[in-house]
Amino acid sequence: MNKIITISRQYGSGGREIGQKIAEHYGIPFYDNELITRAAKESGFAEETFARAEEKATNSLLYSLAMGINVYGNQDFGFGGLSLDDRIFLAQSDVIRKVAEEGPCVIVGRCADYVLKERDDVCNLFIHAAMSFRIDRAVKVYGVDEKSAADTVIKNDKRRANYYNYHVGEKWNNLNNYDIVVRSDFQGIDRAVAAICAYIGD
Amino acid sequence: MNKIITISRQYGSGGREIGQKIAEHYGIPFYDNELITRAAKESGFAEETFARAEEKATNSLLYSLAMGINVYGNQDFGFGGLSLDDRIFLAQSDVIRKVAEEGPCVIVGRCADYVLKERDDVCNLFIHAAMSFRIDRAVKVYGVDEKSAADTVIKNDKRRANYYNYHVGEKWNNLNNYDIVVRSDFQGIDRAVAAICAYIGD
């Protein structure tokens, strides 16, 4: 197997777990928070600034307006007119490209499909699931309060959709953006992993 | 395996061939033109009327307006106010429900996912592929003229998207409508079949 695997996923769908299982199956690196940490260290930005970036995107217009208050003068990046969040995205993108150069791996989130679109050895996945499954998982796996779980799921999905739309300029839920899309709750997470591995091959 | 499998597919993506291979794998019936024939015979409509119906949908608004010239008085259907095309859709839907009641099978096209949405034993697939692959397939497999092949692919997709949008009220390319979506050209048709069968199980 000589592929870079990117995963986009609805909140609570088990996309991260599926990514870990695929990485284990192939014995390849898995990048998620590790990626953020690495990017933060290499670029000199504080880690929490990176962690906050994805969560901050509310919608593409509001986001653009809010980000209009640009941070100028950081010549390390050479993009004087870009917002702080755009710079973080570019720094993250650099890291994604670097780890992809190192060989096969699994990268979750952060529009890695878009960042690596010039490569022809990338397999882009999307994982989704029924709302009830995701609410249940938010409570049981992430410890989200039961009363606010539905809200948390909806808000996180909206943020991810807006983040994708803002950076990629495409609809997050458009199936044409992905090579394989799997609904994790219908047949279960292990079968989702089996389907993806059958698709990718040895 | 105790599932009804429905397939929506971009024109030239190999969705029909994938459906046939899945049906062979499980030894279950495959419904496509057979379905039209059966529906036509049971309802008394001419076969060609059925074959034309899917191709006629241009876009949901124009379609609705055009279909405003209703055909009244056919009391066999008991839906006096419905257009001819809506009646055909209902007759097809009846057939889809009947074959689904008979047991596991593969049904290609005709919004079978929507028609069977009340059942919990239905697995909904979508097959797509890169434009270049589909143009090539239109020429080689369907014998479409090379010069007009790109146009044919685009027009057929538009018709299918509008047909789905009109009858289902959802975007055809919204991944949330399907349990598994596979891009057939990236890893090839046989691997697409393997992935789907791994997902569905024995």
Side-chain angles (χ1 to χ4, degrees):
Chain A
M1 204 285 292
N2 58 353
K3 297 271 190 295
I4 316 293
I5 298 158
T6 78
I7 304 186
S8 303
R9 72 294 179 217
Q10 288 181 342
Y11 182 84
S13 66
R16 196 178 181 284
E17 185 179 332
I18 288 171
Q20 284 173 317
K21 288 188 169 177
I22 292 169
E24 275 167 33
H25 176 88
Y26 290 114
I28 58 176
F30 173 80
Y31 296 105
D32 186 10
N33 292 330
E34 269 183 69
L35 175 73
I36 301 169
T37 311
R38 186 164 169 176
K41 282 180 186 159
E42 292 190 4
S43 70
F45 273 77
E47 279 180 36
E48 66 236 59
T49 314
F50 274 80
R52 261 177 29 229
E54 195 172 41
E55 301 308 314
K56 273 173 72 183
T58 50
N59 75 46
S60 56
L61 180 62
L62 278 176
Y63 185 79
S64 305
L65 289 172
M67 290 304 112
I69 309 159
N70 288 333
V71 178
Y72 290 93
N74 187 338
Q75 295 302 320
D76 289 348
F77 282 86
F79 300 106
L82 290 174
S83 71
L84 181 65
D85 285 31
D86 282 342
R87 289 179 189 197
I88 291 174
F89 182 78
L90 289 175
Q92 286 173 337
S93 300
D94 277 346
V95 175
I96 289 169
R97 277 187 288 264
K98 266 179 210 156
V99 300
E101 296 257 311
E102 287 167 11
C105 61
V106 175
I107 306 171
V108 177
R110 289 159 211 287
C111 307
D113 56 330
Y114 170 73
V115 173
L116 301 174
K117 71 178 165 25
E118 303 302 331
R119 298 183 68 112
D120 58 7
D121 58 350
V122 181
C123 183
N124 300 311
L125 322 185
F126 192 99
I127 310 297
H128 68 112
M131 185 56 81
S132 56
F133 175 86
R134 301 195 286 127
I135 291 171
D136 193 54
R137 208 175 150 89
V139 174
K140 289 183 185 150
V141 181
Y142 306 137
V144 173
D145 180 65
E146 210 162 335
K147 282 181 191 165
S148 62
D151 265 3
T152 301
V153 170
I154 292 165
K155 277 181 192 162
N156 275 292
D157 273 5
K158 200 165 183 185
R159 280 189 189 119
R160 288 179 186 180
N162 289 333
Y163 184 81
Y164 193 86
N165 183 241
Y166 175 76
H167 289 293
V168 181
E170 294 265 0
K171 291 265 184 213
W172 191 48
N173 65 3
N174 183 342
L175 56 84
N176 291 300
N177 297 327
Y178 312 101
D179 300 308
I180 180 163
V181 176
V182 179
R183 192 183 134 197
S184 56
D185 62 316
F186 185 60
Q187 294 290 78
I189 281 179
D190 288 340
R191 242 193 234 297
V193 171
I196 293 161
C197 293
Y199 182 70
I200 293 171
D202 299 325
Chain B
M1 204 286 290
N2 58 353
K3 296 272 189 295
I4 316 293
I5 298 159
T6 77
I7 304 185
S8 303
R9 73 293 179 215
Q10 287 181 343
Y11 181 84
S13 66
R16 194 178 184 283
E17 185 179 332
I18 288 170
Q20 283 173 316
K21 287 187 170 177
I22 293 169
E24 273 167 34
H25 176 88
Y26 290 114
I28 58 177
F30 173 80
Y31 295 105
D32 186 12
N33 291 330
E34 269 182 68
L35 176 72
I36 301 168
T37 310
R38 186 163 168 177
K41 281 182 187 159
E42 290 189 6
S43 70
F45 274 78
E47 280 180 35
E48 67 236 60
T49 313
F50 275 80
R52 259 178 31 229
E54 196 172 39
E55 301 307 313
K56 273 172 73 183
T58 51
N59 75 46
S60 57
L61 180 62
L62 278 175
Y63 185 80
S64 304
L65 290 172
M67 290 303 112
I69 310 159
N70 288 333
V71 178
Y72 290 93
N74 188 337
Q75 295 302 318
D76 288 350
F77 282 86
F79 301 105
L82 291 175
S83 71
L84 181 64
D85 284 30
D86 281 343
R87 289 181 190 195
I88 291 173
F89 182 78
L90 290 176
Q92 286 173 337
S93 300
D94 276 346
V95 175
I96 288 168
R97 277 186 287 265
K98 267 179 211 157
V99 299
E101 295 258 310
E102 286 167 12
C105 60
V106 175
I107 307 170
V108 177
R110 286 157 213 288
C111 307
D113 56 330
Y114 170 74
V115 173
L116 300 174
K117 72 177 162 26
E118 302 303 331
R119 298 183 69 111
D120 58 7
D121 58 351
V122 180
C123 183
N124 299 311
L125 323 185
F126 191 99
I127 310 298
H128 68 111
M131 186 55 82
S132 55
F133 175 86
R134 302 195 286 127
I135 290 171
D136 193 54
R137 206 175 150 89
V139 173
K140 288 182 185 152
V141 181
Y142 306 137
V144 173
D145 180 65
E146 210 162 333
K147 283 182 190 165
S148 61
D151 266 3
T152 301
V153 169
I154 292 165
K155 277 182 193 162
N156 275 292
D157 272 5
K158 199 164 184 188
R159 281 189 190 119
R160 287 179 186 180
N162 289 332
Y163 184 81
Y164 193 85
N165 182 240
Y166 175 76
H167 288 294
V168 181
E170 294 267 1
K171 292 265 186 213
W172 191 47
N173 65 3
N174 183 342
L175 56 82
N176 291 300
N177 297 328
Y178 311 101
D179 299 309
I180 180 163
V181 176
V182 179
R183 192 182 134 197
S184 57
D185 62 316
F186 186 60
Q187 294 290 77
I189 281 179
D190 287 342
R191 242 193 234 298
V193 171
I196 294 161
C197 292
Y199 183 71
I200 294 172
D202 298 325

